Amino acid sequence: MSTSENQIHEESLWFGAADRPLFGRLASPLMGTSLGGVLLAPPIGREARLARRCLRSLAILLAMDGYVTLRFDHFATGNSSGTFEDDGFDRAWFEGVNQATELLRSLGLSSVSAVGMRMGATIIGAAAAEYHLELASAVMWDPCESGRTYLRESSALGGFGREIEAPESSVPVKMMEYVYSDEAATRMSAVNLFAPTPGPLAQRVLMVVRDDRVISSKFRTRWSEQVEWETTSEQGPLLETELPSSVQPAAAIARIREWLTVPESPATPFQVVLGAPDTVVVKAPNAYPVRERFVQLGPHRLFGVVSEPVGDVRGPLIVMVSGINEDHVGPSRLWVELSRRWAGVGLRCARFDLRELGESPWLPGQPNPPAFDKTRPDDIRDAVNALSPTDPSDSVLIGLCSGAQLALGAALEFKSRGVCIINPQVGTGLLRTADRLDKSDRSSIRSFVQRCENLLKRHRWVGQMVRQVLRLVLPTATSPKVRKTLASNETEMLLLASPGDFSPFPWMPIIGTIDARRLMSSERFRVEVISEMDHDFLSDVGRDRVVDILERHVREKFSGAPSD
C-alpha cells in the first residue's frame, strides 16, 4: 500500500518465530537504496493506540529520508500473537526486538537504529541486556524506568480527563482499559532499564524525557555516560487524553528525525522479500487453528485483518466496527481477541480501520478526521461489500458507542443476519437531521449547521450536555421504527447497555419506566442492562460480563457451536 506514490511504500508482514508470530509494518523508499534501517517499538496498552499515529508519521518521514523503517506490535499486544496469560511473554518481548533487528539486517541493511516510546523504550533497553543488538543509534522517548513505573502511572491515569463514576457492583471494580493479572503484573514489573548491558545500547543514545516529571537519580546515574538528554512538553497532550483530542508531538518528531539522520551514511541496495501473507496466530485445544491475513478494503484501501479457521468456514461474516476513539485493535484489544475466539469455532471475522485512521492510508501532517465525519458509513459499506461481495446480508456487525451506531446503520442497509451494539450513542435522530440540513439548497441553513458542528468540535462539554437532553426527547438508535425494520429483515439484535446509557436519569422512576418500555426484549431483540458497566467501558467487571454475553450470543446464534 503506497502512502506516497512517488516516494515510499508501506506494507504489512508477519515475522518472528512460527509459534509466536509478530505483526509489523514496513515503510521503505521506492528508489531501491537505503541509508539504513530504523526499528520503532511502540508503547503497550491504551498508550499504543494513542501513539500509533505519531510513530507512523515518524516511520513514513524517515522512509522519505531514505531509511527502511519497521514498526511492530510486541508479543501479546496489538495484532501480534499471544496474550498476557502466556508464560514468558516478557521474554518474548526481548526476543521480538532482536527478531526485528535481524529482519532489517536480512534486507541488506548493515546499519540499524531503534526508537522506543514509553514501555517500548524499556523493552529495547532490557533486550540489549539479553542480545547484542549492535544499534547505530537509539532514541529512548519518554521511557518508563521499569514496568512497575508503567503500571503505577497507568493506574493513576486510567481515567484521566474523564468524569468517571465506578458502577455499582458486589465485587471490587477496577476502572482501567487494560487490567493485568497479578502474575502478569509481576513479570512486567521486573522489566527495567537499570540492568547492565554487555556493551553500550548503541553508538549514540538520545534520551527524550518529559519536562513535567521527575527522573530518579538512580536512572540518571545508570544512563549518565554517552547519552544526550532532551526534554519535551508534548507527551501529556499525546497520551493523557482520548484519540480524537490527542495532539501530535510535532516538535519531538522533527527533533528525533533530525537527530537520527545527522550521521552521514552511504546509500546501499536493499531488497524486501516478504514471507507468507498469512500465518497461524492461535492453536488452542478443542478449537480450529486460527489463521490471519491482511486485506485492503474498498476504493480507499482501508486496512483490515481477517481471522478465519484453518478448515471450513461456517456461519456469517462477523465484522467489528470501530468508533471515533478506537482503531482496528478495539478497546482493551477486544476486537483482536473476539475475532480469534470466534474463528476458533469456525467463523470468519474481520476488523479494520476507518478512512485516515489507524493503518489506513494517510500522510504525515494530515489532521485527524473530525468527530462528525460523514464518510464513516461509506467506509462500513465498502468494507462489508469487499469482504462479502456476493451476499453482504450474510453478515453480523458489532460496534461500541459511536461504532454501535455505524454498525446498526449498516445492518439496516444490508438486512444483515445480526447486529450487536454496546452503549450506542443517543440523540442520533438529530445527527441524521443535521446531515440532511447540511445538504440544503439554502446557504443560510448550511452555514448554520456548519457553525453548530464547529461549536461541538471546539467545546466537548456542550456536546455532552446536549446529548443528556436529547436522550429524553429524540429517537434513540433503537427506536420502535428501527426495531420494526430489523424484525421485518429477520435481523437478530443484541443491545448491551450500561444503566446510564439505558436511561439518562436512572434515579427518576417515571423516565426509567419509559426507557424500559421502549427497549423491551422480544423474539429477535435482546436487551441486557449491565449494572457493573460504565459508558466508557472501563469497568473490568462490566467489561468481562459484556464479553461473556457477546461471545455466547454469537456462538449460539451464528456458529452452531455450543457456548462454554
Side-chain angles (χ1 to χ4, degrees), residues 503-515:
S503 173
F505 302 106
W507 57 88
M508 299 178 66
I510 295 178
I511 296 176
T513 301
I514 295 172
D515 288 320

Side-chain angles (χ1 to χ4, degrees), residues 278-282 288-293 306-311 343:
D278 57 13
T279 191
V280 174
V281 293
V282 177
Y288 292 105
V290 177
R291 175 177 56 213
E292 288 192 341
R293 56 188 172 88
V306 173
S307 307
E308 53 197 356
V310 178

